[in-house]
Amino acid sequence: MLNPLILSLIGIAGIAISLVIFKRPAIGAALILGLVHFERALVFNGISLVKLLSIVCIGILLTRVLMKDKGIRIDRTTLLIALFLAWVAFTVFWSSNQSVFLSEFISLGLQAFMYVLIINLVRSKDDLKLTLWGHVIGGTVLAVILSVTMVNLNFVRSTDMEIAGLGINLAARMVGLNLLLAVLLAQLVNSRLAKIVLIIVAIVSGIGSLLALSRGNWIALIVSAGVLILVMSIKKGSEFNFKQIILVGVIGFATLYVANQYFFSDYGFAKLQDRAESSVTLSDGASGRFDIWRTAYGPFLEKPLFGHGFNTFKQLNEWKNTGAHNAFVLLAVEDGLLGVFLFCLILGSVLFNLINLNRVKDVNPIALSWGLSLLV
């Protein structure tokens, strides 16, 4: 049991944070995106602090609606998310695993409605910058932890190892996302010092992404960079901004040079080469993922339209308690083609919103291009 003094200090800190968020809601969004990297590590009495903070922000948002007569922003994507969650909840009626339905579904709901919360907390370009800074700071800390852990373990990794409570592959993807967001934020800020700091953050995140030896993360970063170049070429035409290519090249070169000179051991470099080669040849079946996806085809065919129900994938595949490692495979088995269709509608709605930003006169075309690459 915690000391009463500590509980009092926590209570005072909680009230102070709540007041600050009430005054500037974007601070709540920044805190959520900064702490989300450590959601499973930051737990108080069995409750995730990130989920607790999300609930507090929801309460503050509703309070502002009542006190300041500010409406809640509900767009097309919000409605599609609500429809998707309703369908997922409905599938529990024929699910064979209802034991932990409530806790798992609440967790899914909070994650899904993070979008709704963020768009209501972030109301201006300055709010967006503040929110991105929150993610960048938290992501940089995660990148450092990831890099130090991999070096200390001499690059011996397994699918069940954790970094700050996250699986190694998820941590790598979060760090890779942080790299992209750091470069996006660099397009939005005006201060030269801030731009330099963000480029350094991108390099630190790039080193973490490289040291994690996650092939899926590498592919995602390469595809995102390709989409960026493609969109910028279409957007700017013959006036394509080559500064972006130079920026990506500088970050890539600095990442490879620093990682090779100061982090990789001989074994680590050999492991890097092996992972890179296998990502092209697929000699290890993507670490068994192909086998998992292939065996998921059988359960999918049994109930292709409605699926087997929420939270049943681990029971149905031949490798018990093994995740799908793919959102579409997971949805196809658990929620059927209807669930996959609703999920695609959500992604399409977000893409449609980004494309529509082209009509906004003062939109930053470079930032917009980075936003599209992030979605991909």
Side-chain angles (χ1 to χ4, degrees), residues 253-265:
F253 175 79
T255 295
L256 293 172
Y257 178 80
V258 173
N260 182 52
Q261 289 292 319
Y262 302 103
F263 290 95
F264 274 118
S265 62

Side-chain angles (χ1 to χ4, degrees), residues 91-263:
T91 65
V92 76
F93 288 109
W94 55 83
S95 170
S96 59
N97 183 21
Q98 300 181 1
S99 57
V100 292
F101 163 72
L102 186 59
S103 61
E104 292 289 341
F105 184 74
I106 291 175
S107 178
L108 174 65
L110 286 174
Q111 293 174 34
F113 270 101
M114 189 73 72
Y115 166 85
V116 184
L117 184 59
I118 296 300
I119 66 171
N120 279 280
L121 294 175
V122 178
R123 295 292 185 126
S124 67
K125 186 179 292 185
D126 288 337
D127 285 351
L128 176 61
K129 293 177 187 178
L130 177 60
T131 302
L132 290 176
W133 272 114
H135 190 289
V136 163
I137 293 171
T140 304
V141 174
L142 180 63
V144 172
I145 295 173
L146 174 59
S147 300
V148 171
T149 302
M150 291 301 293
V151 171
N152 289 341
L153 294 176
N154 196 24
F155 302 96
V156 176
R157 73 193 298 277
S158 61
T159 54
D160 59 347
M161 70 180 291
E162 292 188 348
I163 306 294
L166 299 175
I168 179 65
N169 290 317
L170 178 56
R173 285 174 174 79
M174 295 287 282
V175 170
L177 174 63
N178 198 62
L179 188 163
L180 297 174
L181 287 176
V183 181
L184 169 61
L185 184 55
Q187 316 300 323
L188 299 174
V189 298
N190 297 317
S191 167
R192 180 171 296 180
L193 176 60
K195 289 181 182 292
I196 293 173
V197 169
L198 288 166
I199 291 173
I200 294 173
V201 166
I203 294 171
V204 171
S205 298
I207 292 171
S209 297
L210 192 62
L211 299 185
L213 302 176
S214 172
R215 294 167 298 186
N217 184 47
W218 297 343
I219 294 171
L221 289 174
I222 292 172
V223 171
S224 296
V227 170
L228 168 70
I229 294 172
L230 176 62
V231 174
M232 281 299 298
S233 298
I234 296 173
K235 182 76 176 175
K236 304 288 283 189
S238 59
E239 300 177 3
F240 175 70
N241 192 344
F242 285 98
K243 290 182 180 179
Q244 296 303 303
I245 294 181
I246 295 173
L247 177 61
V248 172
V250 167
I251 293 173
F253 175 79
T255 295
L256 293 172
Y257 178 80
V258 173
N260 182 52
Q261 289 292 319
Y262 302 103
F263 290 95

